[in-house]
C-alpha cells in the first residue's frame, strides 16, 4: 500500500512539474510547495527548506499573496514539528499579513483564534483595527 501511494505521489508531482514548466507563473510556486511537502514526507528537511523558499519567492514574484500565505503556514507547521517556535511564529505572522493583503478576513480571523499571539500582533500593528 505504501509503495502504491509513493508511486501515485511521484506521478502527481511529475504532472505538476510539467505544468510548472509550461506555465511557471501559474504553477511554479505550487510545484515547489508540493515538492517541499514530498521532501518532508521523505525526511529530507534541508531539501524541503530549499523548495519552500523557492515557492515563496515564486509566489511573491507572481503576486500570489494567497500562495505565499499558505506556504508560510506550511513552513510554520514544519517549524512547530521541529520545536522551532520562534521561526514558526514568524511564519504565521507573515501568513497573516499576506492573508490580510489578499482580503481573506475569515482566514485572518481563524488564524487569530487558533494562535492568540497573532491577535495581539494584529491589533498593535494595524491602527485601523478596533481593540
Amino acid at each position: 500500500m505504501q509503495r502504491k501511494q509513493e508511486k501515485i505521489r511521484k506521478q502527481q508531482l511529475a504532472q505538476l512539474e510539467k505544468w510548472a514548466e509550461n506555465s511557471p507563473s501559474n504553477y511554479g510556486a505550487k510545484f515547489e510547495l508540493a515538492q517541499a511537502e514530498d521532501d518532508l514526507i521523505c525526511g529530507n528537511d534541508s531539501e524541503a527548506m530549499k523548495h519552500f523558499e523557492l515557492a515563496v519567492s515564486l509566489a511573491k514574484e507572481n503576486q500570489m499573496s494567497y500562495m505565499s500565505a499558505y506556504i508560510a503556514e506550511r513552513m510554520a507547521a514544519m517549524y512547530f514539528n521541529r520545536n522551532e517556535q520562534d521561526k514558526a511564529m514568524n511564519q504565521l505572522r507573515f501568513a497573516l499579513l499576506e492573508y490580510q493583503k489578499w482580503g481573506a478576513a475569515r482566514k485572518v480571523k481563524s488564524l487569530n483564534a487558533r494562535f492568540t499571539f497573532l491577535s495581539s500582533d494584529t491589533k498593535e500593528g494595524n491602527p485601523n483595527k478596533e481593540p
Side-chain angles (χ1 to χ4, degrees), residues 7-123:
K7 182 180 177 183
I8 291 169
R9 196 173 73 240
K10 294 297 180 189
Q11 288 172 341
Q12 291 173 338
L13 268 174
Q15 179 63 57
L16 193 54
E17 185 175 26
K18 286 180 187 175
W19 292 343
E21 289 169 0
N22 291 321
S23 184
S25 60
N26 288 325
Y27 293 102
K30 293 172 179 82
F31 168 70
E32 293 300 333
L33 173 60
Q35 185 63 60
E37 295 286 2
D38 188 62
D39 288 334
L40 286 178
I41 289 168
C42 295
N44 301 326
D45 287 7
S46 61
E47 285 298 310
M49 274 308 305
K50 290 176 189 175
H51 289 285
F52 275 131
E53 289 170 5
L54 186 53
V56 168
S57 176
L58 289 168
K60 286 180 183 180
E61 180 182 312
N62 292 294
Q63 300 175 346
M64 302 168 83
S65 56
Y66 67 94
M67 270 305 292
S68 56
Y70 183 68
I71 294 163
E73 270 193 273
R74 298 304 306 142
M75 290 176 76
M78 178 192 68
Y79 285 131
F80 277 130
N81 286 336
R82 292 167 43 177
N83 291 319
E84 296 182 51
Q85 308 303 330
D86 290 342
K87 289 181 180 180
M89 290 166 52
N90 286 336
Q91 288 299 321
L92 286 173
R93 286 182 182 103
F94 177 73
L96 185 81
L97 293 173
E98 290 294 285
Y99 282 129
Q100 285 174 329
K101 185 166 63 174
W102 188 42
R106 288 189 185 221
K107 182 63 176 182
V108 169
K109 186 177 180 178
S110 172
L111 283 175
N112 279 328
R114 282 183 57 205
F115 304 100
T116 56
F117 72 90
L118 289 174
S119 182
S120 63
D121 287 353
T122 305
K123 289 176 186 171

